[in-house]
């Protein structure tokens, strides 16, 4: 049986997001690992799949290659709408996407491995300075995100209501990533509570880096 | 008549994206400027609208506040589907979103004003080093993006076919931003050609920073 193929790396947050979405929608996939620290995503065979050399990519049964985690998740939502990762109404969908994008656009791209490596090479940044950089950009978004979640009656057990969706997927992957940099979560009780709710969902727990075959 | 209100800043790329989408969909809006270099987006009155203190935000006729440019554009696409900014089929939509996200997630967040300012304050980065940083992240994405666009028969006058859509909006805003940092576009003939096609569309031309009331 031909299956969809996920090209990813256990520790990559964007990979965690996509694994979470695939698991929530109960879609089986073949797992192919590309070791980022060893530069395996920059080899010719992977660049032929995704010229950006970034993970994740998803190869569909017919060979169609999809790239960019959020674009792929929107595709999955359109083609496999149940269970939904976005609410039904346009305004509510906009809220969930905005919460997801606050993490996926304002934190993660700036705290990516390639950025942290470049800080070290271009500015001789110490490990301490890199950790401070990471924490700074988390705080810049998590402070207002905490207020936005805590103040809005639409926030439930998860970011929007009582079932996990797109925003939770991004939050879950980011908080897992934060742990590697020792980010103190005590200023963000609502975010921490939603993270724990996510971690209790088997589909999300199974997407965590330490549960992947290439985990170290 | 109550109108939708756009909170934005002339030079912000994310604001340019949203102005472009509003113009393409022929939606009238009230323009409210927040001067980023003067920190007006960090004042209490704007934080009450958008706790992230980022532009743009869109306030709908009923007072609903939408944030995050791509989330707002997805909302506009759902509520005002004509003319479409995304194709009809899920695979094609995934392609356009992936092209848009390659720019909106992999270039812009890293090259934002707040990041460049932080490089100067935390790492004493010179203007030259900041310009190099900016150009480096543009090139990291524009090189593969050029190939992805040039090699795909679905690329037309614009990123996908012959009408401007979500990917073009992101490309247009990014190339305008590149000009401020003197990025050489000669390695990217397809991107440069699509940019010119965008600039020839009145709705996009009217979204450019130098056409806004707060332009300096």
């Amino acid at each position: 049986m031909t299956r969809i193929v996920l090209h990813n790396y256990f520790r990559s947050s964007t990979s965690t997001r996509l694994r979470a979405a695939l698991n929530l929608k109960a879609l089986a996939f073949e797992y192919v690992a590309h070791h980022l620290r060893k530069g395996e995503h920059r080899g010719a065979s992977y660049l032929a799949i995704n010229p950006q050399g970034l993970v994740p990519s998803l190869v569909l049964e017919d060979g169609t290659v999809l790239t960019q985690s959020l674009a792929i998740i929107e595709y999955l939502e359109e083609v496999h709408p149940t269970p939904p990762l976005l609410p039904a109404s346009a305004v509510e969908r906009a809220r969930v996407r905005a919460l997801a994008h606050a993490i996926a656009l304002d934190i993660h791209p700036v705290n990516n491995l390639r950025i942290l490596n470049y800080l070290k090479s271009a500015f001789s940044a110490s490990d301490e300075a890199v950790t401070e950089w990471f924490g700074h950009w988390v705080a810049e978004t998590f402070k207002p995100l905490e207020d936005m979640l805590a103040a809005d009656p639409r926030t439930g057990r998860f970011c929007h209501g009582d079932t996990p969706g797109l925003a939770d997927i991004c939050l879950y992957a980011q908080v897992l990533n934060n742990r590697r940099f020792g980010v103190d979560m005590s200023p963000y009780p609502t975010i921490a509570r939603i993270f724990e709710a996510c971690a209790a969902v088997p589909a999300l727990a199974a997407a965590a880096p330490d549960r992947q075959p290439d985990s170290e």
Side-chain angles (χ1 to χ4, degrees), chain A:
Chain A
M1 191 180 98
T2 314
R3 288 210 295 182
I4 55 181
V5 179
L6 174 66
H7 292 270
N8 77 146
Y9 177 56
F10 78 104
R11 195 178 269 158
S12 137
S13 302
T14 51
S15 297
T16 301
R17 275 182 214 152
L18 184 50
R19 292 192 298 259
L22 289 163
N23 290 348
L24 281 169
K25 290 187 178 288
L27 296 168
F29 56 88
E30 183 184 336
Y31 188 105
V32 177
H34 298 270
H35 199 298
L36 296 199
R37 288 198 182 267
K38 291 181 187 156
E40 289 175 1
H41 57 307
R42 294 299 202 170
S45 66
Y46 187 60
L47 289 177
I49 295 168
N50 180 354
Q52 277 201 277
L54 300 175
V55 288
S57 300
L58 194 70
V59 183
L60 302 180
E61 292 91 334
D62 69 356
T64 299
V65 177
L66 304 181
T67 61
Q68 293 286 339
S69 65
L70 294 183
I72 301 171
I73 295 174
E74 294 273 359
Y75 168 86
L76 295 175
E77 180 74 358
E78 292 178 356
V79 175
H80 305 281
T82 308
L85 301 178
L86 289 169
S89 92
V91 164
E92 309 297 300
R93 293 162 74 83
R95 176 182 184 242
V96 172
R97 285 197 182 101
L99 295 170
H101 290 195
I103 295 168
L105 281 90
D106 296 332
I107 300 177
H108 181 262
V110 190
N111 281 347
N112 232 335
L113 179 63
R114 62 186 194 143
I115 307 293
L116 305 183
N117 284 342
Y118 193 81
L119 286 174
K120 291 180 187 173
S121 65
F123 298 107
S124 309
S126 62
D127 286 346
E128 202 175 25
V130 165
T131 298
E132 201 174 305
W133 168 281
F134 189 100
H136 176 81
W137 298 115
V138 170
E140 278 290 297
T141 291
F142 268 23
K143 278 183 207 163
L145 190 65
E146 171 66 25
D147 295 341
M148 290 161 86
L149 287 167
D152 195 318
R154 294 172 292 184
T155 304
R157 178 165 166 78
F158 294 96
C159 288
H160 195 87
D162 295 322
T163 50
L166 180 66
D168 302 292
I169 285 172
C170 293
L171 181 153
Y172 177 65
Q174 183 62 50
V175 174
L176 283 172
N177 207 17
N178 288 357
R179 290 179 167 184
R180 295 174 45 226
F181 290 84
V183 174
D184 174 18
M185 287 295 290
S186 64
Y188 319 116
T190 310
I191 296 174
R193 171 181 72 68
I194 293 170
F195 172 77
E196 293 303 335
C198 289
V201 175
L204 293 176
D210 61 7
R211 294 273 298 272
Q212 307 316 310
D214 55 332
S215 176
E216 289 161 3

